[in-house]
Structure formats: C-alpha cells, structure tokens
Amino acid sequence: MKKTAICLAAALAFAMAASAHAADITILVNGEKIQTDTPAVIEGGRTLVPLRAISDALGCDVSWDGENQGITVTDGESLFFTWIGRDHAFKTSVTEIEKTSILDVPPVIMSSRTMVPVRAVSEIFGATVNWDGASSTVSIDYAKKNVEAGLAEMFLTYEQELNKKYDAYKGYADHSGNLVNAEIQLENGGVITLELYPDIAPVTVANFVKLANEHFYDGLIFHRVIKNFMIQGGGFDASLNQKQADTIKGEFVVNGSFNLIPHERGAISMARAAQSNDSASSQFFIVHDDSAFLNGQYAAFGRVTGGMEYVDAIAAQETHSVELAQTRMDDVPVENQVIKTVVIK
C-alpha cells in the first residue's frame, strides 16, 4: 500500500530527420509553440530541448540535484529520474520500478541549460508525439497537468538513493551486472531458473544462498498455492512439519530499504508474518500474476528466467485445508509439490 504521493522523473527523446537544422525545428504542445531562451539542438540524430521548457509546457514539476546532476520530473502520479551523461532513466512509484528507458542520447548541459531528448515524453508520460518533416515540426498532444511547484523537490531522497543504486537497477533492467543465478530443481524433474539481485536486496539474497548451499530446502514443498496470486514454499516438509531458520531484516520500502523490485509475474520474494517486518526466514514465494499491492511491503529479491511453466503447473494444482495439532493450513496442494534441491550456479 502506498503511504506517500507517487514520484517520477523524466528523460525525453525523439528521433528527427538527420537533415533538419535545430533553428528550423518548431515544437508544439497541444498546438501551442514552446518558447525557449535556448533553441533546440540536434545530437546524434536526436532533438534536445531545455528540460524546464518542456516540463512547464506539459504542466509537470521538475527538480535538479546539482551534486549528482540528477533530474526528477513528476506529473503528480509517477516519477521519472535521469542524470546528466547516463543512458538509463527510470520511471517509478514510491514502491516500485515501473519502467526503464534507454536513451540514445543522454541529457546534457549546454549553455547552463539541461537539455533532454523529446520523444520519451510520449513513452514516459503517455503523450502522443508526431514529426512533420515538411515543416520540421514536433507536435505533442497531451492532457496537460497542473502539478504544484515544489512537488518534485520532495522526492530528492528518492533520486539520491536511486543514484547510489544506479548500476544495480541498470543491471536489473538489462539482466546484467552483479547477479546470482540459481535453480529450484523439483522432484518431478522440472527446473525453475532464477536470477537474484544482491546489490538491491543483499541480506535476502545472502540468506537464500546460505540456505541453498546448506541443502536446507532439500525435500521441502510448496505448501501454499493460490492460482493467479503466488506459490509459496521453503518451510514445510511433505508431512507438513515446519523446518525452522533464523529470521532476517525485511528489505522493502516500508521497512527502510530502497528495494523497488516489483511483485510482477515471475518475481521471487520472501514470505513473512503480517505483524512483523523482520520475520522472514526461509519461506519464499513466486508471484504467479502481477500483485502490485505487495510492492514496498515484501522483499522481492529476484525473478524467474526459465521454467515458468512449472510455476503455472504448481499454481494449477487442486488444494485443500489441512487441520494440524494447533492450527489449520489453507491452500495446501492435495498432491505434494516437492523441491528436490536449490542449486546456486
């Protein structure tokens, strides 16, 4: 559940005809020409315009972090973050990475103005952008916002934290960087492959790796299965005897960790007790269908890269409720779904 306003920051990009001269280019937003004290320029076949001019024309708010050369733009609903000289830009909410854009030409500073490419306006904020080569005109159609001045500045901490973890989230977006690869090998022969993100959720990944290397998960089951939500395992054996492990810090936003991995289909995350943020131990779940309501409140730490069909097969299992000595377990598969082992590659 989101507890503060949604944040965003934006990079803007638009491919122009290579023969167009910057002085000839007109930029219209909802039919009105943008007036700037610094004209558009063409770099690498992309037209760059002053950030504040395009932001003002769209009714968005913008802030500048001089120390990190970071840019935050908000339309009041989302955040977009980008930095001078960096080619990855991130659209986020308070609790998740919503979209990553790769800019052919990163933002630059020219004549003391922050210049950004123009087409990402449509990609980031939902505007429609058209180019008329005959008149060298960019036309942007957009439901203009009226964002209160100073809103973007309120999210300076987010820009600073994302700046610190730029390489980590770039690696997350590109499936590159510092990754841990793992396999959940099932007793029925199925294999679910994972990539884990130690730079985003270091405590969680280290705990999972430690338990896997100790063969903690061998013979345990997926004991809670809810189709179109998630499959949960790693805590009980086939007789529903619980196996105990040490608890760890919960690495998610409401617990003070800058973990914006979304709980979308295929994400792997840690289960915990509802009443305690730091109660996760060994049990994990794999998201079967997008579950944004978990974002910021549970520690996602990786995603499935192969074998999602086995997740689907487990999610499709018939389930029932089981009465135990002191409790009742719901959503237990009738036929045991056994983890043979978890292997760290």
Side-chain angles (χ1 to χ4, degrees), residues 26-107:
T26 299
I27 299 175
L28 305 177
V29 176
N30 298 331
E32 296 186 11
K33 182 177 179 180
I34 294 180
Q35 303 291 342
T36 69
D37 58 358
T38 301
V41 298
I42 296 177
E43 289 284 329
R46 299 293 185 263
T47 296
L48 309 183
V49 297
L51 169 65
R52 289 194 179 273
I54 189 65
S55 298
D56 288 348
L58 296 174
C60 298
D61 188 47
V62 60
S63 71
W64 167 253
D65 175 6
E67 181 178 354
N68 296 319
Q69 294 193 309
I71 300 161
T72 302
V73 180
T74 180
D75 65 354
E77 297 178 356
S78 296
L79 288 164
F80 198 88
F81 300 100
T82 188
W83 297 264
I84 299 299
R86 288 181 171 176
D87 65 351
H88 279 59
F90 303 101
K91 180 180 180 182
T92 85
S93 72
V94 167
T95 58
E96 69 169 308
I97 291 284
E98 296 179 346
K99 183 178 180 180
T100 303
S101 297
I102 301 176
L103 308 177
D104 292 337
V105 178

Side-chain angles (χ1 to χ4, degrees), residues 183-187 190 192 212-220 338-344:
E183 291 182 351
I184 301 174
Q185 298 178 3
L186 305 175
E187 191 177 66
I192 302 168
N213 286 337
E214 292 174 350
H215 296 279
F216 179 94
Y217 293 114
D218 294 10
L220 302 186
V338 181
I339 299 170
K340 180 180 179 181
T341 192
V342 176
V343 177
I344 305 302

Side-chain angles (χ1 to χ4, degrees), residues 76-147:
E77 297 178 356
S78 296
L79 288 164
F80 198 88
F81 300 100
T82 188
W83 297 264
I84 299 299
R86 288 181 171 176
D87 65 351
H88 279 59
F90 303 101
K91 180 180 180 182
T92 85
S93 72
V94 167
T95 58
E96 69 169 308
I97 291 284
E98 296 179 346
K99 183 178 180 180
T100 303
S101 297
I102 301 176
L103 308 177
D104 292 337
V105 178
V108 297
I109 295 177
M110 296 181 176
S111 302
S112 300
R113 292 290 184 269
T114 301
M115 306 292 285
V116 293
V118 170
R119 181 172 286 278
V121 171
S122 65
E123 298 175 352
I124 301 305
F125 292 114
T128 300
V129 180
N130 292 295
W131 166 246
D132 181 356
S135 61
S136 297
T137 299
V138 180
S139 297
I140 302 173
D141 295 318
Y142 183 67
K144 184 175 180 178
K145 304 297 194 292
N146 291 294
V147 179

Side-chain angles (χ1 to χ4, degrees), residues 57-342:
L58 296 174
C60 298
D61 188 47
V62 60
S63 71
W64 167 253
D65 175 6
E67 181 178 354
N68 296 319
Q69 294 193 309
I71 300 161
T72 302
V73 180
T74 180
D75 65 354
E77 297 178 356
S78 296
L79 288 164
F80 198 88
F81 300 100
T82 188
W83 297 264
I84 299 299
R86 288 181 171 176
D87 65 351
H88 279 59
F90 303 101
K91 180 180 180 182
T92 85
S93 72
V94 167
T95 58
E96 69 169 308
I97 291 284
E98 296 179 346
K99 183 178 180 180
T100 303
S101 297
I102 301 176
L103 308 177
D104 292 337
V105 178
V108 297
I109 295 177
M110 296 181 176
S111 302
S112 300
R113 292 290 184 269
T114 301
M115 306 292 285
V116 293
V118 170
R119 181 172 286 278
V121 171
S122 65
E123 298 175 352
I124 301 305
F125 292 114
T128 300
V129 180
N130 292 295
W131 166 246
D132 181 356
S135 61
S136 297
T137 299
V138 180
S139 297
I140 302 173
D141 295 318
Y142 183 67
K144 184 175 180 178
K145 304 297 194 292
N146 291 294
V147 179
E148 181 180 356
L151 180 60
E153 185 70 23
M154 293 174 62
F155 297 102
L156 175 62
T157 299
Y158 264 64
E159 181 272 322
Q160 292 172 335
E161 289 300 315
L162 198 50
N163 174 67
K164 293 176 186 176
K165 290 196 171 184
Y166 174 84
D167 289 337
Y169 281 104
K170 177 179 178 179
Y172 167 78
D174 298 345
H175 300 269
S176 62
N178 187 19
L179 306 176
V180 173
N181 295 300
E183 291 182 351
I184 301 174
Q185 298 178 3
L186 305 175
E187 191 177 66
N188 64 10
V191 176
I192 302 168
T193 60
L194 308 167
E195 63 180 27
L196 313 179
Y197 306 105
D199 290 341
I200 299 175
V203 173
T204 309
V205 172
N207 180 67
F208 185 83
V209 169
K210 173 180 176 291
L211 294 175
N213 286 337
E214 292 174 350
H215 296 279
F216 179 94
Y217 293 114
D218 294 10
L220 302 186
I221 64 170
F222 285 96
H223 64 275
R224 183 170 178 241
V225 169
I226 303 175
K227 188 177 181 180
N228 298 324
F229 177 30
M230 58 89 226
I231 63 171
Q232 180 175 330
F236 292 84
D237 65 19
S239 298
L240 295 181
N241 297 309
Q242 187 169 7
K243 192 172 182 180
Q244 300 292 338
D246 293 337
T247 58
I248 59 173
K249 173 180 171 58
E251 292 181 304
F252 43 89
V253 171
V254 301
N255 205 35
S257 293
F258 198 71
N259 179 356
L260 302 182
I261 298 174
H263 284 80
E264 58 192 10
R265 175 174 163 83
I268 182 170
S269 187
M270 292 301 292
R272 64 174 178 86
Q275 67 274 17
S276 175
N277 287 344
D278 297 325
S279 57
S281 57
S282 66
Q283 293 186 44
F284 60 87
F285 61 92
I286 298 174
V287 180
H288 188 230
D289 201 1
D290 295 357
S291 300
F293 63 92
L294 300 175
N295 292 337
Q297 301 188 71
Y298 289 83
F301 62 101
R303 59 184 163 194
V304 173
T305 56
M308 196 64 192
E309 67 271 22
Y310 297 109
V311 176
D312 292 336
I314 294 171
Q317 292 294 309
E318 179 184 357
T319 62
H320 62 161
S321 297
V322 178
E323 297 290 344
L324 300 176
Q326 297 181 356
T327 188
R328 188 180 83 162
M329 293 182 62
D330 296 322
D331 307 306
V332 179
V334 172
E335 182 178 345
N336 286 329
Q337 305 298 304
V338 181
I339 299 170
K340 180 180 179 181
T341 192
V342 176

